[in-house]
């Protein structure tokens, strides 16, 4: 089949989709809370990596990672957390999306743990010093941070990470067989007709 026709096969309604996926158990529905309880805070404090998903007002989506030492995401209170924005490539995709569509989804991981923590909520971009004027002495305070006010918070089952064997070192491909990020970067520049000057 021609790939251009694939959207003609797409499911069009919530009812049609629900008939195919079924109805979730009440325990799955009720596990979502709108707060950061003690156990959730412990999970976040041990996570060195979170993926943040955003979309613009036009629906342009983005998912990008944020990582540092465990505890780099700050719990402000039972409803709000803050993710520091460290200096990077200056694209600012997540932050610009939040300016036009103030919502974000977060996915927290802990190495070796197959369950992940999902948080969805209202988001904003702040000057870090306005929210946390006192910063840990051993850390460089970032200029900007993303604050998320929790609307949904729940633990996600281990199936995906179990199936992927992501934490099983024996299943990892050898380094010489891994894709080259530098080659991909150069190839994509070439597609767009841009040559990086040395």
């Amino acid at each position: 089949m021609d790939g251009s026709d694939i959207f003609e096969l797409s499911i069009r309604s919530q009812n049609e989709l629900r008939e195919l996926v079924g109805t979730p158990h009440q325990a799955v529905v009720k596990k979502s809370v709108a707060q950061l309880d003690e156990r959730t805070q412990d999970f976040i404090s041990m996570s060195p990596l979170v993926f943040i998903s955003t979309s613009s007002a036009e629906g342009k989506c983005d998912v990008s990672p944020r990582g540092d030492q465990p505890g780099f995401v700050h719990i402000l209170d039972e409803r709000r957390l803050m993710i520091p924005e460290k200096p990077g490539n200056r694209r600012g995709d997540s932050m610009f999306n939040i300016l036009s569509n103030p919502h974000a989804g977060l996915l927290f991981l802990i190495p070796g743990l197959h369950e992940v923590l999902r948080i969805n909520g209202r988001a904003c971009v702040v000057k870090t010093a306005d929210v946390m004027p006192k910063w840990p002495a051993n850390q460089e305070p970032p200029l900007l941070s993303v604050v998320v006010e929790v609307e949904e918070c729940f633990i996600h089952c281990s199936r995906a990470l179990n199936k992927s064997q992501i934490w099983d070192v024996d299943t990892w491909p050898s380094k010489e067989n891994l894709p080259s990020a530098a080659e991909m970067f150069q190839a994509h520049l070439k597609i767009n007709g841009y040559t990086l000057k040395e």
Side-chain angles (χ1 to χ4, degrees), residues 38-167:
E38 183 179 352
R39 291 174 179 80
T40 300
Q41 293 186 32
D42 286 344
F43 194 111
I44 294 171
S45 72
M46 296 181 67
S47 173
L49 180 64
V50 59
F51 290 88
I52 178 170
S53 66
T54 58
S55 67
S56 67
E58 296 77 29
K60 181 181 178 182
C61 297
D62 180 74
V63 179
S64 59
R66 302 288 187 276
D68 209 324
Q69 296 300 308
F72 79 100
V73 174
H74 298 271
I75 305 293
L76 300 178
D77 53 40
E78 290 184 348
R79 289 292 306 279
R80 301 173 302 164
L81 56 81
M82 186 174 76
I83 306 170
E85 282 287 335
K86 301 297 178 67
N89 58 17
R90 301 178 185 172
R91 283 181 59 107
D93 297 313
S94 300
M95 292 188 290
F96 280 104
N97 280 346
I98 289 169
L99 291 182
S100 66
N101 181 8
H103 299 279
L106 308 176
L107 186 70
F108 287 91
L109 290 89
I110 297 176
L113 185 66
H114 290 99
E115 291 79 13
V116 298
L117 181 69
R118 291 171 57 181
I119 292 177
N120 300 311
R122 192 164 63 105
C124 65
V125 180
V126 299
K127 293 180 181 178
T128 304
D130 290 346
V131 178
M132 286 186 62
K134 291 185 178 179
W135 198 256
N138 61 337
Q139 298 179 22
E140 183 71 23
L143 176 63
L144 299 169
S145 293
V146 170
V147 170
V148 177
E149 183 178 62
V150 178
E151 295 174 342
E152 292 183 298
C153 174
F154 54 96
I155 198 74
H156 191 101
C157 75
S158 60
R159 183 176 301 165
L161 271 65
N162 272 333
K163 289 286 188 180
S164 69
Q165 298 180 296
I166 189 69
W167 303 126

